[in-house]
Amino acid sequence: MAAVSLRLGDLVWGKLGRYPPWPGKIVNPPKDLKKPRGKKCFFVKFFGTEDHAWIKVEQLKPYHAHKEEMIKINKGKRFQQAVDAVEEFLRRAKGKDQDLTIPESSTVKGMMAGPMAAFKWQPTASEPVKDADPHFHHFLLSQTEKPAVCYQAITKKLKICEEETGSTSIQAADSTAVNGSVTPTDKKIGFLGLGLMGSGIVSNLLKMGHTVTVWNRTAEKEGARLGRTPAEVVSTCDITFACVSDPKAAKDLVLGPSGVLQGIRPGKCYVDMSTVDADTVTELAQVIVSRGGRFLEAPVSGNQQLSNDGMLVILAAGDRGLYEDCSSCFQAMGKTSFFLGEVGNAAKMMLIVNMVQGSFMATIAEGLTLAQVTGQSQQTLLDILNQGQLASIFLDQKCQNILQGNFKPDFYLKYIQKDLRLAIALGDAVNHPTPMAAAANEVYKRAKALDQSDNDMSAVYRAYIH
């Protein structure tokens, strides 16, 4: 792309690496966010997403001059929604201060956090790409009314985390990230469990060039090799990942007949991505290490859509060397990863994250039902929330599920209830009160009694209306 004359406030098409162009606006970066060295670039806030990024000037085009060209090249609902958001912004800006903020994500319901990979900058041969650069987290900020405050809060949290727990994240600004690709490890990768999360993870490992052997009780994965048993996969692979439903499944996978443990020998690596309690993961680590194996726990924060998009957040703990060996795999499946120290820390952190998420979901359902019984519009409530401090993709998507009566699972209700139960037990173990989680847990238990276990967590709404 040829260099163009641009300035603050301009609407642009921004392109990162091999990813498709997306409409955005040049804005002032947060005070604490430094411009990358040696690069002439602008800080761009993208429409219809929660993404911000430093984009090289040669990767920018004026919005109006190239609008027709971009619309012809790029097709798809989400792209059109982003363009619609730009036009809405322009309509609102007419006759007003041109420094208005970009409309919140509520104007483009259900938008995902990143440009759609199906769109090409120029007509080219088809190639597998992901919805957004998973390694750009170093430059991305959440969309808020005061991004500088948000960024300061985030960096403060990370600093505390680094000092107190030795937490680190795989940095985004490496050569493969900037080029929009992942250099796959030459190690043989195994994967056990192809559920809602595992299937998307394996797809992204394959897309990014990893050699993957899979095992699942019921299904195969196109493009992957098939192992007959967990033990066989472990014995033939250098690093084996697993992602199953709960502590019992995690133990059975390792300790059961033809299980992981039977395939472990010195140097073999096992990475458990299941969300379980710290006692379970500690027990598994001990038996793996006792056979000469290496162990890492790496539960993931996200849902089926984020798994498919390669935008998971990975929380790891255990063997630091193994964490580094998994770098290309984590880059393929997630947007960021954290190393949290000794085994058990990631399990605890994951349960706390899901406790907050599950409690929030129950509160959303409670608010929507209260609005209904008091004669208030549920849609209006959602519109108000989407314009306030609680605005988020999670809030919008889950409310849309409820309003449309669509509870197709993106995160099983039974699993968030399991995580709430484990989080409450974690609090009990250290004599810490968790009354909010306990209350939410009871609502999810009622939803399970109403046969909502295999629906999305948003089906907790039905516990309030029956």
Side-chain angles (χ1 to χ4, degrees):
M1 295 176 64
V4 292
S5 177
L6 296 169
R7 61 182 181 180
L8 186 67
D10 281 355
L11 298 178
V12 295
W13 297 96
K15 188 177 187 301
L16 176 65
R18 64 190 174 99
Y19 296 94
W22 207 257
K25 179 185 177 185
I26 297 175
V27 298
N28 281 318
K31 294 178 181 178
D32 292 347
L33 189 61
K34 296 180 180 179
K35 182 182 293 188
R37 292 181 180 178
K39 299 178 181 178
K40 187 176 181 182
C41 52
F42 288 99
F43 195 70
V44 177
K45 186 174 184 180
F46 292 103
F47 284 83
T49 77
E50 294 183 347
D51 290 351
H52 306 63
W54 287 108
I55 305 293
K56 294 179 183 178
V57 67
E58 60 264 30
Q59 298 299 324
L60 295 170
K61 285 186 176 182
Y63 175 80
H64 294 289
H66 296 274
K67 176 183 172 183
E68 302 256 343
E69 171 194 350
M70 295 301 109
I71 291 176
K72 287 180 181 178
I73 294 174
N74 300 328
K75 304 293 182 183
K77 181 179 178 182
R78 291 186 178 88
F79 175 80
Q80 185 56 54
Q81 287 175 324
V83 174
D84 290 345
V86 180
E87 299 305 314
E88 181 179 342
F89 170 74
L90 290 171
R91 285 193 295 272
R92 291 184 180 183
K94 231 174 192 179
K96 298 180 181 180
D97 185 351
Q98 295 300 310
D99 196 27
L100 294 176
T101 58
I102 293 174
E104 298 275 350
S105 59
S106 60
T107 61
V108 279
K109 306 296 184 186
M111 282 297 298
M112 293 155 48
M116 286 298 291
F119 310 127
K120 306 297 180 185
W121 183 246
Q122 297 175 347
T124 60
S126 168
E127 61 178 347
V129 295
K130 300 185 346 187
D131 286 0
D133 189 339
H135 323 295
F136 213 50
H137 68 273
H138 189 66
F139 301 133
L140 301 184
L141 305 174
S142 296
Q143 180 176 330
T144 62
E145 292 183 357
K146 296 182 179 179
V149 174
C150 176
Y151 180 74
Q152 291 165 359
I154 291 172
T155 53
K156 187 180 293 184
K157 297 280 186 186
L158 290 177
K159 184 177 180 181
I160 292 172
C161 201
E162 288 173 341
E163 291 174 353
E164 297 183 357
T165 69
S167 168
T168 58
S169 60
I170 292 178
Q171 289 302 306
D174 58 14
S175 59
T176 58
V178 171
N179 292 331
S181 63
V182 174
T183 302
T185 177
D186 57 3
K187 297 181 183 296
K188 295 178 181 178
I189 303 300
F191 203 96
L192 312 176
L194 299 177
L196 284 184
M197 305 296 280
S199 184
I201 291 172
V202 171
S203 291
N204 283 308
L205 287 172
L206 292 169
K207 285 178 184 177
M208 295 303 163
H210 295 85
T211 300
V212 186
T213 301
V214 302
W215 174 87
N216 195 60
R217 286 174 297 176
T218 58
E220 300 180 12
K221 185 67 183 176
E222 184 177 352
R225 301 173 182 178
L226 183 64
R228 290 177 296 180
T229 66
E232 181 183 275
V233 173
V234 172
S235 65
T236 58
C237 295
D238 301 305
I239 302 174
T240 300
F241 295 85
C243 188
V244 294
S245 59
D246 56 31
K248 182 181 184 304
K251 288 182 180 180
D252 289 347
L253 187 62
V254 173
L255 305 174
S258 300
V260 168
L261 194 59
Q262 293 185 22
I264 291 291
R265 59 179 185 268
K268 291 294 181 180
C269 303
Y270 186 63
V271 182
D272 195 336
M273 307 190 79
S274 313
T275 299
V276 298
D277 57 287
D279 289 343
T280 294
V281 78
T282 299
E283 178 183 345
L284 296 181
Q286 289 172 347
V287 297
I288 296 294
V289 173
S290 71
R291 294 287 184 91
R294 300 168 65 194
F295 182 86
L296 186 74
E297 59 167 330
V300 294
S301 178
N303 53 28
Q304 182 183 27
Q305 186 63 61
L306 293 175
S307 175
N308 292 341
D309 298 340
M311 295 295 285
L312 296 169
V313 175
I314 301 151
L315 311 182
D319 188 320
R320 179 60 184 261
L322 177 51
Y323 169 74
E324 294 170 353
D325 288 343
C326 292
S327 176
S328 74
C329 295
F330 287 160
Q331 289 175 16
M333 64 181 74
K335 66 176 179 180
T336 187
S337 64
F338 294 86
F339 184 78
L340 303 176
E342 64 183 22
V343 168
N345 284 345
K348 294 173 184 175
M349 185 68 82
M350 189 72 260
L351 290 177
I352 294 168
V353 169
N354 282 359
M355 178 188 75
V356 172
Q357 180 175 248
S359 300
F360 183 42
M361 181 67 251
T363 301
I364 292 170
E366 191 170 299
L368 286 171
T369 51
L370 183 59
Q372 183 179 42
V373 300
T374 57
Q376 305 305 305
S377 165
Q378 292 179 321
Q379 181 61 58
T380 300
L381 172 60
L382 172 57
D383 292 341
I384 292 169
L385 291 174
N386 271 331
Q387 293 299 322
Q389 293 178 327
L390 293 178
S392 66
I393 291 176
F394 178 83
L395 171 72
D396 190 58
Q397 288 180 339
K398 297 308 179 186
C399 285
Q400 291 296 339
N401 287 353
I402 292 171
L403 295 179
Q404 296 168 14
N406 175 16
F407 299 108
K408 180 181 178 181
D410 197 41
F411 192 122
Y412 283 116
L413 183 143
K414 61 186 177 184
Y415 293 157
I416 197 68
Q417 190 273 322
K418 174 262 297 183
D419 294 345
L420 281 165
R421 173 173 55 81
L422 294 176
I424 293 167
L426 177 62
D428 288 345
V430 292
N431 198 32
H432 182 78
T434 53
M436 305 302 292
N441 187 46
E442 293 304 314
V443 183
Y444 283 99
K445 285 164 63 176
R446 172 163 172 72
K448 287 177 66 178
L450 294 170
D451 295 325
Q452 301 303 309
S453 291
D454 292 325
N455 281 333
D456 186 72
M457 69 164 74
S458 53
V460 69
Y461 173 79
R462 288 179 170 167
Y464 286 97
I465 60 176
H466 288 87

